[in-house]
Amino acid sequence: MIKNPTTDKMKEYNKILVPHGNPFEPFLDNMVKYVKELPNAQKDAMINQKLDEIFTLGIEVRLLNKEEYIQRLKEKVLRGQRIFLFKY
């Protein structure tokens, strides 16, 4: 087997960054188990629904009306954040 110094450096770097292993492994394992249990006909829709549930857990998701949107932009600018608005 050929020894690659770049691979060794990446392994050392990863050990420093994440000493306890990949933090996403439990999530990936759970998703793989969930996907294997789904019927083939509904797989895509059910996977997307499950991911939406996971990523929005504990987050209030709702649309802002125009006044709320403008008020939040003003608050961000007053706190010193730079905001760039582009029209597509």
Side-chain angles (χ1 to χ4, degrees), residues 24-35 38 42-59 61:
F24 299 106
E25 277 185 30
F27 167 74
L28 294 173
D29 292 340
N30 290 338
M31 281 304 294
V32 168
K33 288 177 189 173
Y34 176 75
V35 169
L38 292 175
Q42 301 169 346
K43 219 168 243 196
D44 289 338
M46 296 299 288
I47 291 171
N48 288 336
Q49 181 181 353
K50 182 71 170 179
L51 288 173
D52 286 344
E53 290 173 9
I54 291 169
F55 292 137
T56 59
L57 183 67
I59 298 173
V61 179

